[in-house]
Amino acid sequence: METFFDRAANISRTQVTKMRWALGLHGLASVALGVMILAWPGISVYALTIVFGVYSLATGIVEFSTAFTTDGKEERGWLILMGLLGIGVGVLVLAWPGISALALLYVIGAYAVGLGILCIGASFQLPLNGRETTSMVLTGLVSIAFGIVIFAKPGAGALAVLGLIAAFALVTGVSELVVAIDGEKLLERKAKKAFSPPSTQAKRTPQPSH
């Protein structure tokens, strides 16, 4: 028979799972993007534009739609911002198929900086444990550093730039997957702590000696 704790834990786990799946899908998409760039070193600017635009738009739509199915204010706010960032960048890139290589790099750099800021902010707002918070902060710092490098040296060689984009996608993707996988366990622990009956005191209260 389902207990009160079981029902509470299931509700909590459902809400956490929604955010966890959105983050996990974003991580998988980032890893796929990085692997595709590494496996296709001679990718053209046009092809890179389409690939990056589809990646940004698809992940943005998933995150934005997921935001309205979760009850947590922190999770909803973060997912909305992430979704708007991805959708905005994806629409911009796909609506500008003739974008120059330099302009595309600036767009990717801006996306990386925005993603980094959101990751660092999320690390202090979302229900994460110490390791997951560290992972999110590092993801944010890597993203911001990548964006700064792109803006500082937009004329770097094509292979170097593609390597940076691939490294950025792989690092952020793996970090997001780590947080997503541990997220359900964290919520389950919190639910158990919140709804489990108070622990009993000592087995027996010591009787006063006569």
Side-chain angles (χ1 to χ4, degrees):
M1 183 177 183
E2 188 179 46
T3 64
F4 172 77
F5 161 69
D6 293 330
R7 290 194 298 271
N10 288 333
I11 293 172
S12 180
R13 189 183 303 111
T14 298
Q15 296 304 323
V16 183
T17 299
K18 292 174 182 177
M19 183 200 74
R20 183 173 63 89
W21 272 106
L23 188 61
L25 288 174
H26 191 279
L28 283 175
S30 297
V31 171
L33 176 65
V35 171
M36 181 180 295
I37 292 174
L38 289 177
W40 192 2
I43 185 173
S44 65
V45 174
Y46 178 80
L48 180 60
T49 299
I50 299 301
V51 170
F52 183 76
V54 171
Y55 155 78
S56 301
L57 183 61
T59 55
I61 290 174
V62 169
E63 289 155 352
F64 190 77
S65 59
T66 304
F68 297 97
T69 65
T70 182
D71 293 332
K73 292 182 179 179
E74 295 85 0
E75 293 90 335
R76 185 187 302 121
W78 181 75
L79 286 170
I80 288 175
L81 292 175
M82 285 284 290
L84 290 176
L85 175 65
I87 292 172
V89 171
V91 170
L92 173 64
V93 171
L94 292 176
W96 191 5
I99 186 174
S100 66
L102 182 61
L104 178 61
L105 287 179
Y106 281 139
V107 171
I108 295 176
Y111 173 81
V113 172
L115 178 64
I117 293 173
L118 289 177
C119 284
I120 293 176
S123 65
F124 299 103
Q125 295 293 328
L126 298 179
L128 306 173
N129 61 23
R131 182 178 64 178
E132 293 162 347
T133 297
T134 301
S135 179
M136 287 291 282
V137 170
L138 290 176
T139 300
L141 292 177
V142 168
S143 298
I144 293 173
F146 167 79
I148 292 174
V149 169
I150 289 295
F151 282 113
K153 294 185 177 181
L159 287 178
V161 170
L162 287 176
L164 280 174
I165 297 174
F168 156 71
L170 289 172
V171 170
T172 55
V174 171
S175 298
E176 288 167 344
L177 285 173
V178 169
V179 176
I181 291 170
D182 286 346
E184 186 177 17
K185 296 177 182 177
L186 175 65
L187 269 194
E188 188 171 346
R189 290 196 300 268
K190 287 201 168 190
K192 185 174 182 179
K193 183 178 180 181
F195 297 103
S196 59
S199 58
T200 58
Q201 299 178 350
K203 293 182 179 180
R204 285 191 178 183
T205 305
Q207 298 296 328
S209 56
H210 297 286

